[in-house]
Structure formats: structure tokens, C-alpha cells
Amino acid sequence: MQQTRVVVVGSANMDLVATAPALPRPGETVLGSAFVMVPGGKGANQAVAAVRAGASCAFLGAIGSDAFGVTLKARITAAGVDTGQLRVVYGASGVALVMVGADGENAIMVTPGANTAFTDLTEGELAAVRAADVLVAQLEIPVATVTEAALAARAAGTRVILNAAPAQRVPDELLAAVDLLVVNENEALALTGRGRDDPGALLALAPRAVLTLGGDGAWYVERDAEPAYVPAVQVDVVDSTAAGDAFTAALAVAWGEGRDLLAAVRWAAAAGAACVRRLGASVALPRRAEIDELHAPSA
């Protein structure tokens, strides 16, 4: 089987993660139980997850000239991601403040830093997109940049997966270049006004879509076909922070390997489940053997 070539266009952040018995309410202070600092950002997470799931992956994005930027590039490169075209811009890197409760639920605040400077793709960056089997993008970088990458991919025959997160309006020009849309319920509601009650509403935006529901599984929909429900793989949840990133990356890898999309969604569900069993974002992303192990009982 030929190795899938994935290019991820997206954000890189340093995640400052604190755990506590319960998340604080507005105006409340709680005592935490642990703290870790790990590389994150949806783009970097999905790039690392793609490599661990078995793909070759190049990451296109921007980091700052600060100490966080140095650490981010070193850690992403050490994970096996091609960072040869990762930009370094003067100033602060993106930072995410992550609070995790004992039940695995989280609250996140992101300051984008250098990610906002990732604009006007170079010819080298566009060439990487055109040479890929699958382009994966999110919305933590300027939407104009995502659109430029998606249009280049579409023109070259590269499949385009858009993880439309965080929730915001997506331009029609970008949607026209998307082959597969991946959203959670909040994002689906923001885009269509409909959630799990009508996953097919997403097909007004893209020819195929996945609506993820965390521990309640996922819906896969495509035009001219009946919606398909994929149950979640049941595991003990420690931290759900990067589960969506593990899911999206595994979906891209499986689709690039030639699996039909419903089978790819089932494998991606196992990846998401494997991820939530550990604390942290990039450090929790599962390797292929872990995904296969959880997927096997439901295959």
C-alpha cells in the first residue's frame, strides 16, 4: 500500500494545559491539580496525527520568533512532520490556554499570534499542496489563506478536507473547493442552523460531510445517499482536547489510502477514542497500531 501524502495548512500554538477537579465558572477561581506545556494548534496537531496514523505529512503554517516558536518547530519536526516550509515571523507564537476538568471536558482560549501572519502562500507552499494526495485545513489561520490553498488543491486534483473549526462563516469560494467537510455539532449549528437532528443540512455546503458528536459518535452524509451513523468507540475519557484533530487526520489518511469514506470514518472514530485516553494535545495523538487495536472489535 502506497503511503498517503498529506499536507496540512493550519495553526501552531503552544498549549498551556491545567487540570482541575472541575472547570471554573465565570468569576470563580479553582485549585488545579497538574500543569503541562505541550505543542498544539489544530494544524500542528493534525499534521502530527497524520504522521502517527501512517502518512507522510508536510505542515504549512507560521510560528513566532520567541522561545515557544523554537520549541514548537523542534517538537513538530521530531514527530516526523516535514517542517521545511514552516514560516518564522517576528513576534509571539500562538498560545492556547487549556483547562481540563476531571470528566475530560475542557475550556480553551487561543491567542493566535504568528498564525495571523500566515498569508499569501509562496510558490513552494502551493507546489506542496498540489503534490499532495489530501489537503487538510482548519479555520485558525486567515480564511483567505485556507481558500488559496483549497483552490490550488482543487485545480491539481488534490482532495480537500476542511475541518471548519472554530465555528465561523465560511466563504462560498472556499466551500466550492471542499470535497469533505468535517464539523462538530456547534460548528454545524453555526453553519446551517441544524445539528444532529439533520446532518444532511451540511450537504448544502459540500458534497460529503462528517458531523462528529464526541462520545455520541458521528454521522457521515453524502449527496444521493442515506445518512450513515457511526457509533463512538467506548473508552475511559481523560482529556478530549485533541480528539477532533486525531479524528480528522486519521480520516484523511484512510481516505488517501483508498478506503471508502464510511470505512474511513469508522477508523477515524477509533483514532478519536484512542486520543482521549491521555492528557494533552499532541502528546495524546495515537499511533496507527493503537487505532487499529481499537478499530478491530468494531470492524
Side-chain angles (χ1 to χ4, degrees):
M1 179 174 59
Q2 184 174 351
Q3 189 177 37
T4 299
R5 298 169 299 172
V6 174
V7 166
V8 175
V9 175
S11 60
N13 301 318
M14 185 60 75
D15 288 355
L16 310 180
V17 185
T19 60
L23 297 179
R25 295 183 294 270
E28 180 185 21
T29 298
V30 301
L31 289 176
S33 52
F35 172 79
V36 293
M37 186 174 72
V38 293
K42 296 191 73 63
N45 286 345
Q46 290 176 12
V48 172
V51 169
R52 291 185 178 177
S56 65
C57 182
F59 176 50
L60 307 180
I63 53 176
S65 56
D66 55 1
F68 283 165
V70 173
T71 302
L72 280 168
K73 183 169 185 178
R75 295 284 290 275
I76 298 168
T77 303
V81 177
D82 178 358
T83 58
Q85 297 193 73
L86 181 61
R87 299 186 194 179
V88 179
V89 299
Y90 181 77
S93 297
V95 174
L97 306 177
V98 184
M99 296 181 291
V100 183
D103 60 357
E105 288 300 316
N106 61 67
I108 305 172
M109 178 184 293
V110 178
T111 56
N115 294 300
T116 61
F118 185 43
T119 59
D120 301 320
L121 296 176
T122 66
E123 183 52 42
E125 290 165 340
L126 291 170
V129 168
R130 297 184 188 107
D133 297 311
V134 184
L135 170 71
V136 179
Q138 326 77 33
L139 300 176
E140 288 185 338
I141 59 173
V143 174
T145 305
V146 177
T147 303
E148 184 180 6
L151 291 174
R154 168 53 62 91
T158 297
R159 293 170 175 171
V160 178
I161 296 179
L162 176 64
N163 178 204
Q168 59 183 282
R169 183 187 175 279
V170 181
D172 292 342
E173 185 181 23
L174 172 54
L175 289 171
V178 172
D179 294 296
L180 175 62
L181 182 67
V182 180
V183 291
N184 65 23
E185 191 161 25
N186 288 335
E187 292 147 6
L189 287 167
L191 288 170
T192 68
R194 306 302 296 268
R196 68 183 71 196
D197 60 310
D198 185 14
L202 294 166
L203 296 177
L205 307 177
R208 308 165 193 84
V210 178
L211 172 60
T212 62
L213 302 170
D216 292 333
W219 282 97
Y220 171 66
V221 293
E222 63 176 287
R223 292 172 184 167
D224 301 321
E226 289 296 314
Y229 174 71
V230 176
V233 179
Q234 298 304 310
V235 296
D236 293 330
V237 177
V238 174
D239 179 8
S240 62
T241 302
D245 297 330
F247 180 100
T248 301
L251 182 59
V253 174
W255 196 22
E257 289 175 350
R259 304 190 203 198
D260 71 75
L261 266 170
L262 183 55
V265 172
R266 293 193 177 104
W267 196 67
C275 182
V276 304
R277 298 184 297 183
R278 289 189 291 272
L279 177 67
S282 60
V283 294
L285 298 168
R287 299 188 183 279
R288 190 178 183 98
E290 298 174 78
I291 303 171
D292 285 339
E293 182 182 3
L294 280 181
H295 177 253
S298 60

